[in-house]
Amino acid sequence: MKVFCGIDWAERHHDVALVDDLGNLLAKARISDDAAGYSELLDLLAAHGDTQATPIPVAIETSRGLLVAILRSGTRQVFAINPLAASRYRDRHGVSRKKSDAGDAFVLANILRTDMPMHRSLPADSELARAIAVLARAQQDAVWNRQTIANQLRSLLREYYPAALDAFVTGRKGGLAHPEARAVLAVAPTPAAAAKLTKPQIRAVIKRGGRQRYVEAETKRLQDIFRAEYAHQPALVEEAMGKQMLALLRQLDAAAHGADDLADAVETSFQQHPDAEVITSFPGLGTLLGARVLAEIGDDRNRFKDARALKAYAGSAPVTRASGKKRYVGRRFVKNDRLTHAGFLWAFAAITVSSGANAHYRRRRDRGDWHAAAQRSLFNRMLGMLHHCLQHQVPYDEQRAFAPLLEPAA
């Protein structure tokens, strides 16, 4: 007799249901979200035939947390069921639209009983790959948070301090998040304070911000901008906005330092992974971007049946909707958004460093694709190559990857 387990996850407690292969409810329980509750769950599973050799599969509506970590130890299959999919299955068990935590656990267990091959279990990634995933996602979130705060700071500066935008935003790499810009704004929070800065003061500040080259030229440029003619807010209003700007600047400093620290941690961990050499052999994939790609695809070689499954997961492969005489082929909306974001950065970088990637992109543009569609097509092709190289542990080869496109150019 096969047994299937469903767990309705909550913040303080979890409802558990066990069903057999005929759909009969074998047991149900409510466990607490602590070590005692986890032990109670493992004892319940063991009482119904759970062993190290034949573990009972579990369906749950989340892929994170300590409970999931406990369940993933060993060879157990854990299925993270999308809550939207679970709500659709609920209608199969009744039309009254009733809902309860115990009932949801029963529904999750029956999903595995009837449709387990249609769902993908959590990958059996190595501990190092999972650690890289935590760090890479945290670093990506920190970068996005840093940019959000920088956008808020930019909006505030437009209201009272346009000289700062001319000095650090217009045509400047890094913008307001650059250490040099943050150092100057910290000592000159208002236009009046900036106009009073002398050359020695500006020189000392930009050196403290990390500048080593063209110090004198940059000092003169900043002084000319700060002493130019601009519109001003009333003095008291300008001073108040300066204090608001300093509060945002402290948040930006913390976000920038956090992103930098996490980037160092990502690079250290990623370089220890055996797949790092293969991933970074691809044009456009450096350490940080390669770590983001590894974080999303993992190192479980059985996770994706073939390259098509990986492309669908990344959202780079088109999706077809056909009914009768109607047929539509377009981009996917259900995908791994983090991997898609990394893929567009990868494709954009590859165009500039790989002649084959550039030729593929140009060919798609010549066929009428917009920039985003051509980038997505290139990402789709590169992802297939990455799947092949990781499966066979071979580095990227430009001549083999884009041979048909490179021959006419040669």
Side-chain angles (χ1 to χ4, degrees):
M1 181 181 65
K2 293 183 178 180
V3 180
F4 307 91
C5 176
I7 301 178
D8 183 69
W9 178 89
E11 184 176 347
R12 297 189 177 182
H13 64 265
H14 316 294
D15 284 87
V16 183
L18 297 177
V19 301
D20 60 15
D21 49 5
L22 297 179
N24 298 315
L25 180 63
L26 300 177
K28 64 178 181 179
R30 171 168 288 187
I31 63 172
S32 56
D33 185 40
D34 52 24
Y38 304 154
S39 298
E40 183 182 350
L41 171 62
L42 295 178
D43 292 341
L44 180 64
L45 293 176
H48 289 82
D50 181 78
T51 63
Q52 187 68 23
T54 58
I56 294 176
V58 176
I60 189 170
E61 290 181 327
T62 182
S63 60
R64 302 178 180 180
L66 289 173
L67 175 60
V68 176
I70 296 296
L71 292 172
R72 292 183 69 180
S73 60
T75 59
R76 185 190 316 280
Q77 286 184 296
V78 179
F79 296 81
I81 307 298
N82 189 295
L84 181 61
S87 68
R88 297 294 183 267
Y89 276 98
R90 192 183 301 123
D91 294 338
R92 297 172 58 177
H93 296 268
V95 296
S96 63
R97 311 292 293 180
K98 65 178 182 179
K99 183 185 183 305
S100 66
D101 294 341
D104 287 347
F106 180 73
V107 169
L108 290 169
N110 275 287
I111 290 176
L112 295 188
R113 180 180 68 85
T114 58
D115 294 327
M116 188 165 70
M118 303 300 296
H119 297 273
R120 183 185 291 118
S121 62
L122 294 178
D125 292 331
S126 66
E127 185 177 350
L128 178 57
R130 292 164 66 182
I132 293 172
V134 171
L135 292 172
R137 291 169 182 170
Q139 195 272 337
Q140 191 175 30
D141 289 338
V143 171
W144 289 342
N145 183 46
R146 181 184 64 188
Q147 188 58 48
T148 299
I149 300 174
N151 290 341
Q152 295 175 356
L153 182 60
R154 181 179 181 274
S155 297
L156 176 61
L157 292 174
R158 287 191 61 186
E159 297 183 12
Y160 84 104
Y161 200 167
L165 300 182
D166 291 341
F168 303 115
V169 176
T170 306
R172 308 293 292 182
K173 185 177 180 181
L176 296 172
H178 195 279
E180 186 178 319
R182 291 186 277 121
V184 173
L185 290 176
V187 300
T190 63
K196 296 178 181 178
L197 290 177
T198 63
K199 285 188 176 181
Q201 290 174 327
I202 297 176
R203 188 183 304 112
V205 170
I206 62 177
K207 284 184 176 181
R208 191 163 59 246
R211 175 169 288 274
Q212 298 178 353
R213 302 175 60 188
Y214 309 112
V215 175
E216 294 302 326
E218 182 66 10
T219 299
K220 184 178 184 308
R221 187 186 75 87
L222 291 178
Q223 188 179 56
D224 291 343
I225 292 176
F226 290 150
R227 294 185 177 182
E229 188 68 27
Y230 289 97
H232 287 270
Q233 293 276 4
L236 291 179
V237 176
E238 184 177 280
E239 184 178 352
M241 286 185 167
K243 294 179 180 179
Q244 181 184 1
M245 189 275 295
L246 288 175
L248 279 176
L249 189 62
R250 284 191 288 270
Q251 297 180 40
L252 182 59
D253 283 335
H257 290 309
D260 293 340
D261 292 343
L262 286 170
D264 294 338
V266 169
E267 292 180 358
T268 302
S269 298
F270 178 66
Q271 290 169 356
Q272 299 173 4
H273 198 279
D275 289 345
E277 184 176 355
V278 175
I279 293 175
T280 54
S281 68
F282 277 76
L285 277 184
T287 305
L288 276 179
L289 197 55
R292 291 184 185 180
V293 172
L294 176 63
E296 303 309 323
I297 67 176
D299 58 2
D300 181 6
R301 297 290 179 259
N302 299 318
R303 180 178 185 180
F304 302 103
K305 183 179 179 181
D306 50 26
R308 294 177 59 187
L310 175 58
K311 293 175 181 179
Y313 175 74
S316 60
V319 63
T320 301
R321 299 181 180 90
S323 177
K325 297 182 180 181
K326 296 181 179 180
R327 186 172 183 271
Y328 166 77
V329 179
R331 64 187 180 93
R332 293 176 181 264
F333 291 93
V334 179
K335 58 187 182 300
N336 185 315
D337 291 332
R338 290 183 182 272
L339 184 54
T340 301
H341 182 271
F344 274 94
L345 295 177
W346 177 14
F348 185 79
I351 292 171
T352 61
V353 297
S354 168
S355 56
N358 186 275
H360 178 91
Y361 171 80
R362 294 300 172 189
R363 186 181 66 170
R364 298 299 306 186
R365 291 302 304 271
D366 292 341
R367 290 184 178 182
D369 283 356
W370 292 91
H371 171 70
Q375 273 195 313
R376 185 163 51 248
S377 175
L378 176 59
F379 172 46
N380 189 59
R381 181 163 181 170
M382 300 287 281
L383 204 56
M385 300 174 193
L386 178 62
H387 180 270
H388 171 82
C389 291
L390 288 175
Q391 290 290 337
H392 297 86
Q393 284 298 297
V394 294
Y396 170 82
D397 186 345
E398 178 88 359
Q399 297 301 321
R400 293 185 62 185
F402 293 102
L405 295 176
L406 294 176
E407 288 175 0

